[in-house]
């Protein structure tokens, strides 16, 4: 396999896109790239409590099948941020 992808597929991370709400980022990712991310704080309530940021979005590459899908996510996220 690809070492970079082997590391990335274990990655789960939080991010925010400017002042966009979590729901708006989720809608835009779906509309622009057919990418689905979860809503809410069910992943790690402790992290959300400490950071106290309702705009945080969680994503994971665990279910991606290769670097092409990771690139698709990153390109789509870039488009979300530019709008």
């Amino acid at each position: 396999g690809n070492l970079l992808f082997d590391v990335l597929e274990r990655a789960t991370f939080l991010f925010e896109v400017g002042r966009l709400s979590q729901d708006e980022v989720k809608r835009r990712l779906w509309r622009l790239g057919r990418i689905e991310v979860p809503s809410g704080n069910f992943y790690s309530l402790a992290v959300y409590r400490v950071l106290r940021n309702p705009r945080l979005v969680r994503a994971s590459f665990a279910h991606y099948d290769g670097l092409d899908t990771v690139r698709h996510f990153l390109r789509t996220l870039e488009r979300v941020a530019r709008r």
Side-chain angles (χ1 to χ4, degrees):
N2 183 306
L3 179 60
L4 176 59
F5 183 70
D6 290 346
V7 171
L8 284 176
E9 75 175 339
R10 291 176 181 80
T12 297
F13 50 93
L14 295 170
F15 64 94
E16 65 181 302
V17 180
R19 306 292 296 168
L20 296 178
S21 71
Q22 184 185 80
D23 287 337
E24 183 60 24
V25 172
K26 181 178 178 165
R27 279 191 293 274
R28 290 181 187 194
L29 283 170
W30 179 253
R31 188 178 71 241
L32 296 172
R34 296 298 185 246
I35 295 170
E36 191 169 10
V37 293
S39 292
N41 57 18
F42 63 88
Y43 169 66
S44 178
L45 187 54
V47 171
Y48 282 94
R49 283 183 180 153
V50 169
L51 297 176
R52 298 174 192 248
N53 185 340
R55 293 185 309 273
L56 290 175
V57 179
R58 178 179 68 91
S60 173
F61 293 139
H63 303 291
Y64 283 43
D65 61 1
L67 286 176
D68 287 340
T69 53
V70 170
R71 286 185 192 103
H72 174 70
F73 172 84
L74 295 173
R75 286 184 193 120
T76 304
L77 184 58
E78 181 178 37
R79 291 176 61 205
V80 167
R82 282 189 287 182
R83 291 183 173 242

